[in-house]
Amino acid sequence: MRIYTCEDYAAMSRRAADILAAQIILKPDCVLGLATGSTPVGAYAQLAAWHREGVLSFAQVRSVNLDEYRGLSGGHPQSYRHFMQKHLFRLVDIDPQNTHIPDGQAADPAVECARYDAVIRALGGVDLQLLGLGHNGHIGFNEPGRAFEKTTHRVKLGESTIRANARFFASMDEVPKEAVTMGIKSIMQAKKILLIASGEDKREIMEKALFGPVTPDVPASILQLHPDLTVVEACGLPE
Ligand code: F6R
């Protein structure tokens, strides 16, 4: 595990963008595993800026996102498809056909999960998976207490996740209660993982995830066992 401790959110975003851009430069047709949430917004903005300046191309990049809410169409302003369009895809030259996100409106979630796993397999797996960290230790929508061995699956969202995500909706009631997410197994199969987090409020869970016991109660703790994990943090971890 490599840990880069950054001074603030801007420095964390810049370092994360450096690592993502290096992956694209090394392998222009790489498969990026992407995350939503507030943490990666700054890194995506930096990548988009490099694209605008003509120094970074996504023309051959393929992407798979971690998760999507159940019940929201891709056009819904709170869907993760919409988020990705807004913060990255429409700002760079990625081919929309090469961007994959679970379909939150699929009639049969089991069929959708199997289809999504097949997409990841057909792409040859994920080269670099970007992850944010939930306050309860979740990665993707893998909530505490669930088994580690799952691939893409349907989940009921935990109370704290619904509360944390309510800030993006008009009320708690509007937050979807279910999602489709890549599982811990899918995440661990990525060749490289980049975990990013910032803010004092993430320090305690970051310490548990990186230095505590490996347990499904802290889903991110399994990342300690990944052979190629890079952490970029601005949570104030002791050096
Ligand atoms: C997003 C995702 C989530 C977030 C996590 C942190 O696709 O899968 O696991 O990464 O909830 O969210 P933020 O960055 O908003 O603190």
Side-chain angles (χ1 to χ4, degrees), residues 183-191 193 222-223 225-227:
I184 295 287
K185 181 171 174 184
S186 338
I187 292 170
M188 287 298 279
Q189 283 173 342
K191 295 174 189 93
I193 294 182
I222 188 128
L223 300 175
L225 304 182
H226 194 279

Side-chain angles (χ1 to χ4, degrees), residues 72-105:
L72 299 191
S73 74
H76 188 286
Q78 295 310 332
S79 74
Y80 287 172
R81 163 60 74 180
H82 181 86
F83 175 100
M84 290 308 303
Q85 291 299 131
K86 177 175 170 196
H87 291 287
L88 187 65
F89 297 158
R90 70 177 176 80
L91 306 175
V92 298
D93 58 344
I94 196 164
D95 180 344
Q97 307 255 37
N98 288 337
T99 65
H100 303 277
I101 299 185
D103 177 0
Q105 288 203 308

Side-chain angles (χ1 to χ4, degrees), residues 140-217:
F141 271 131
N142 295 279
E143 301 283 22
R146 310 256 172 83
F148 275 153
E149 66 271 9
K150 290 200 172 152
T151 52
T152 305
H153 60 291
R154 171 192 197 170
V155 281
K156 283 200 187 318
L157 303 185
E159 195 53 41
S160 77
T161 301
I162 292 174
R163 226 177 303 116
N165 291 358
R167 66 189 195 273
F168 301 115
F169 291 83
S171 74
M172 278 269 281
D173 290 345
E174 280 186 28
V175 185
K177 308 293 180 284
E178 289 189 1
V180 169
T181 183
M182 277 165 63
I184 295 287
K185 181 171 174 184
S186 338
I187 292 170
M188 287 298 279
Q189 283 173 342
K191 295 174 189 93
K192 288 178 257 178
I193 294 182
L194 172 57
L195 174 68
I196 59 175
S198 86
E200 275 275 309
D201 56 315
K202 295 270 176 89
R203 191 178 62 213
E204 197 184 329
I205 191 64
M206 193 65 153
E207 278 183 319
K208 278 194 191 153
L210 300 183
F211 309 116
V214 175
T215 162
D217 292 338

Side-chain angles (χ1 to χ4, degrees), residues 27-31 57-63 93-95 98:
K27 187 179 176 193
D29 64 346
C30 64
V31 177
S57 171
F58 286 71
Q60 297 178 63
V61 169
R62 284 88 49 81
S63 73
D93 58 344
I94 196 164
D95 180 344
N98 288 337

Side-chain angles (χ1 to χ4, degrees), residues 34-40 65-67 80 131-135 138-142 161 165 167-168 181 196 202:
L34 299 176
T36 60
S38 43
T39 315
N65 262 77
L66 280 168
D67 42 19
Y80 287 172
L131 295 175
L133 178 65
H135 287 103
H138 75 215
I139 44 177
F141 271 131
N142 295 279
T161 301
N165 291 358
R167 66 189 195 273
F168 301 115
T181 183
I196 59 175
K202 295 270 176 89

